[in-house]
Amino acid sequence: MITIDDITIKIRMFNHPKLIAQAQVIFFNILETKGWKIMPSNRRHPRFQEEIWIQPPGYPNGIKNGKQTYGLTVWVNDKKLYDQIEEKIYDAFCMLRNKEEGEKNIAEATYKDEVDKNDEKLEEIDIDEIPNDL
């Protein structure tokens, strides 16, 4: 029987309004499924309480009622295991997102410190003391 411990997740972040990140779900370090999407949603996820949607890999399946439909290429029959996979994807996504935000904040703080240090190096000049013949 497969368990959540047999599954590894890899996340790749995107800076796109319709695709936040993509995940690889690897089973037993042998079988890789690519194309799991983490997308923005207009509804809160019932478990993660964030406006995102995690979608398994799929393919365009035609148009129904004026909207593109998709068929799934990966299906997990065990609902409990699927929920655990989704949770593991979300956890890996949050860890990477927090790491990237932390690195961005450190970079911004470092830049601000450098700007502040440069400001300290400037000496005050009294305009009245500058000779007129320059």
Side-chain angles (χ1 to χ4, degrees):
M1 182 72 177
I2 188 171
T3 68
I4 195 64
D5 296 328
D6 301 320
I7 298 171
T8 307
I9 306 294
K10 292 183 182 177
I11 300 290
R12 182 172 165 211
M13 301 296 282
F14 288 91
N15 188 14
H16 191 275
K18 292 186 179 183
L19 180 63
I20 301 169
Q22 208 168 34
Q24 279 179 261
V25 178
I26 305 163
F27 298 87
F28 299 106
N29 287 326
I30 297 171
L31 177 66
E32 295 184 19
T33 59
K34 299 181 178 186
W36 292 73
K37 297 177 184 117
I38 302 171
M39 299 178 289
S41 175
N42 57 1
R43 296 184 194 139
R44 284 198 172 282
H45 192 282
R47 286 185 321 228
F48 309 136
Q49 294 303 306
E50 184 175 346
E51 292 177 343
I52 64 164
W53 176 33
I54 298 174
Q55 177 185 344
Y59 59 93
N61 197 20
I63 297 178
K64 185 176 182 180
N65 297 329
K67 288 189 166 191
Q68 180 70 54
T69 61
Y70 292 88
L72 298 178
T73 57
V74 174
W75 182 261
V76 179
N77 286 329
D78 183 344
K79 173 72 171 137
K80 181 180 174 188
L81 181 60
Y82 178 81
D83 288 345
Q84 290 174 330
I85 292 170
E86 197 176 56
E87 186 173 330
K88 199 164 187 173
I89 290 171
Y90 181 73
D91 290 346
F93 161 70
C94 287
M95 285 177 56
L96 184 58
R97 177 178 59 183
N98 292 342
K99 178 183 175 193
E100 286 184 354
E101 287 175 2
E103 288 172 354
K104 180 182 173 194
N105 290 339
I106 288 170
E108 287 175 1
T110 303
Y111 173 75
K112 184 179 181 324
D113 288 345
E114 288 174 6
V115 169
D116 290 345
K117 288 177 185 174
N118 288 337
D119 287 347
E120 291 172 7
K121 292 178 185 175
L122 297 176
E123 61 181 86
E124 291 187 27
I125 299 175
D126 185 1
I127 296 177
D128 296 331
E129 292 181 2
I130 300 176
N132 289 332
D133 57 344
L134 289 179

